[in-house]
Amino acid sequence: MIRERSAYYELYGSDFGLTALAEGLALADSRTDLDAALCAAEIADWFEGEGAVELGEDARRLLVSDLPEHVLSTVWLSSTGRAFDPGGHGMSCRAWLEQVSDVSTARLRQEKRSYVPPPVRPVRDAVLCRAVVVELRAMAPALADASALPDLVDALEQVVTGADGDLGMRLFLRALKAHSVPVPYEGYLRLQELGGQFGFPAAVVHDGLDILWPAVSASRWRLHGDFGLSRLAGLFTAGWDHRTPGQAVEQALVGDGYERPPGSEAAVVLEDTHRVLDSGLSDDAITLLWLAATDRGYNIDRLGIGGREWLQQVADWCEDNLSATAPAYVPAKPTPAGGGDEVLREIREVAPFAVSTVISPAFHPLEGSKVMEALEQVVVRVDPDLGFRLFLRIVSILGLPLTEEQYARYESLAGRFHYGEHHLLFTVHHLVQRT
């Protein structure tokens, strides 16, 4: 249905519009003019016709510009990796873009027969366009070396400055992807930040880009929400069981996000897991903590699996993931974080409220007080940082009320342990009793 447009990331999870069409043609087995028209119609049909809005707008932004035919042809051929050349089918690039515009209009008229495309709204923001040009020029030597198309960099810059910064940015990204140009990590992060200013989904920049990732580590850098073993437990709460346990863990291990090297989450989970397995924590305590942190979402005790056995399976899956994604990774020997006394203080402050609570009251309940005792053991015998993350999960599961003063102290501890800015927001912020 046709409606007022939202930010792209609210509508799409990946590329869209003319650049999605270019990507589809680049991946197509056959590339006749009929195939191209069908691909355009398919994209226009996305989300009950929503896809037609961006597809038509993109085409018309180029059509109403003063860009010469050779510039349009160059950027289009680059975006598809020369997979579909309108000239090879008796069309100029402008004629091809007019066909794309017509396809999108026809799809939108299925919703409203009197639909007339509105005037185009090119992005001409000087700051944004200048930022795109800066990144384009930074990649110019590598892009020129990778492409046989003459004056490609100049043509892309003309789109950015003479037609539309938004589409110019996406065509630049398509060129990098279609020609497999390696992009340095810092440059990739700048492209992601710039894409965010345009409202792109992160996948528009990330997917298909040849990123020169730094070495994988268990670093907390660029983490936002929960991570490691506490995050894994959260993914095993009710509703996970449409997958096998191994598949659920594998899905958790690819949660690197768009800013961390592939394998980063597996490294963090493996570090947490080794901390627990290398400690003297009893099998019963590990089992209890897993059951509590998952809100009995995966009942290993009912399946005859001990806590240590389960964590060893998790460690094995982490190592398999790292063998595939980061074969050079060597786990560093984890060193316990400080702050144990402060974490113990927070656990003991809420412990009286946990005495009368249970986890999973309807199915093999777990006493809140016993869980708090196990958390103290983690802090003392394993690691205060992991103990605090598991504590936050348990507080959330039990729904224990927090004061603003407690929350302020949690923020201080979260900063000390280098948690991401949204860690507490996604776990216990909703439990704070405002005065």
Side-chain angles (χ1 to χ4, degrees):
M1 60 183 295
I2 306 167
R3 57 183 171 80
E4 188 69 24
R5 310 311 285 167
S6 303
Y8 294 127
Y9 60 79
E10 295 181 18
L11 299 168
Y12 305 106
S14 58
D15 210 348
F16 51 87
L18 196 63
T19 43
L21 173 59
E23 180 182 13
L25 291 172
L27 298 174
D29 293 329
S30 55
R31 295 148 183 149
T32 67
D33 52 350
L34 177 59
D35 292 323
L38 290 173
C39 188
E42 179 183 333
I43 289 172
D45 201 41
W46 283 357
F47 309 113
E48 299 181 340
E50 293 282 4
V53 177
E54 274 69 46
L55 184 63
E57 174 83 6
D58 280 353
R60 289 188 294 276
R61 286 177 180 182
L62 293 178
L63 287 168
V64 303
S65 73
D66 295 326
L67 297 177
E69 174 67 21
H70 73 87
V71 168
L72 297 179
S73 178
T74 297
V75 296
W76 171 256
L77 289 175
S78 169
S79 69
T80 66
R82 287 189 155 175
F84 177 73
D85 181 356
H89 300 278
M91 291 183 288
S92 67
C93 194
R94 280 192 174 274
W96 162 239
L97 292 171
E98 286 169 356
Q99 284 196 16
V100 172
S101 175
D102 290 344
V103 166
S104 70
T105 300
R107 178 59 184 86
L108 291 166
R109 282 177 178 163
Q110 293 180 27
E111 305 295 326
K112 183 179 179 181
R113 299 181 72 177
S114 62
Y115 173 79
V116 175
V120 295
R121 298 166 295 175
V123 175
R124 297 283 176 80
D125 183 285
V127 174
L128 274 178
C129 291
R130 188 160 50 247
V132 176
V133 169
V134 167
E135 297 305 324
L136 176 58
R137 290 177 179 175
M139 294 302 303
L143 190 53
D145 286 345
S147 172
L149 290 165
D151 302 320
L152 171 58
V153 174
D154 179 67
L156 286 167
E157 186 169 330
Q158 287 191 57
V159 173
V160 174
T161 59
D164 177 58
D166 174 328
L167 179 56
M169 170 74 172
R170 284 184 282 126
L171 286 167
F172 168 39
L173 292 168
R174 279 298 312 146
L176 293 173
K177 296 172 186 180
H179 298 291
S180 302
V181 178
V183 178
Y185 181 54
E186 291 302 324
Y188 163 68
L189 293 178
R190 293 195 302 271
L191 290 174
Q192 274 291 12
E193 182 177 353
L194 190 53
Q197 293 180 59
F198 282 111
F200 299 165
V204 170
V205 178
H206 173 275
D207 290 0
L209 199 64
D210 184 7
I211 305 162
L212 298 176
W213 294 106
V216 169
S217 71
S219 166
R220 307 288 170 82
W221 190 51
R222 296 197 174 275
L223 281 169
H224 298 291
D226 204 354
F227 57 91
L229 197 57
S230 50
R231 174 178 176 270
L232 178 65
L235 297 178
F236 271 89
T237 53
W240 75 271
D241 53 0
H242 62 284
R243 305 179 298 274
T244 67
Q247 289 171 330
V249 173
E250 288 169 6
Q251 180 172 331
L253 298 184
V254 298
D256 301 310
Y258 291 104
E259 297 179 336
R260 294 191 293 163
S264 295
E265 186 63 18
V268 176
V269 175
L270 184 61
E271 180 177 279
D272 276 352
T273 304
H274 278 167
R275 287 183 191 274
V276 178
L277 291 175
D278 294 344
S279 74
L281 203 61
S282 71
D283 191 63
D284 286 345
I286 297 172
T287 302
L288 174 60
L289 286 165
W290 174 261
L291 297 174
T294 62
D295 198 10
R296 267 203 176 276
Y298 179 44
N299 298 301
I300 56 176
D301 59 330
R302 313 310 299 171
L303 300 172
I305 303 172
R308 284 188 168 274
E309 179 186 355
W310 167 243
L311 289 191
Q312 186 57 61
Q313 290 183 39
V314 171
D316 292 342
W317 282 315
C318 289
E319 289 169 355
D320 288 344
N321 175 284
L322 287 162
S323 294
T325 59
Y329 173 71
V330 177
K333 184 174 179 60
T335 55
D341 289 343
E342 292 93 329
V343 177
L344 286 174
R345 170 192 167 184
E346 302 305 336
I347 294 174
R348 289 166 182 169
E349 182 163 328
V350 303
F353 297 95
V355 170
S356 59
T357 63
V358 294
I359 292 172
S360 181
F363 180 77
H364 299 283
L366 307 171
E367 296 180 20
S369 58
K370 297 293 184 183
V371 175
M372 291 295 164
E373 292 172 8
L375 283 171
E376 288 199 26
Q377 292 183 49
V378 175
V379 174
V380 173
R381 307 181 69 172
V382 182
D383 179 56
D385 163 31
L386 178 57
F388 186 57
R389 279 185 279 131
L390 291 171
F391 167 68
L392 293 173
R393 274 210 53 72
I394 302 304
V395 167
S396 178
I397 288 169
L398 292 175
L400 300 178
L402 301 175
T403 66
E404 292 179 318
E405 290 76 13
Q406 283 175 300
Y407 188 78
R409 295 197 301 270
Y410 293 3
E411 287 183 309
S412 177
L413 278 168
R416 178 171 185 165
F417 294 137
H418 306 290
Y419 295 170
E421 59 179 324
H422 301 309
H423 194 120
L424 295 180
L425 180 65
F426 294 155
T427 50
V428 297
H429 182 268
H430 63 289
L431 298 172
V432 178
Q433 308 298 298
R434 306 294 177 182
T435 56

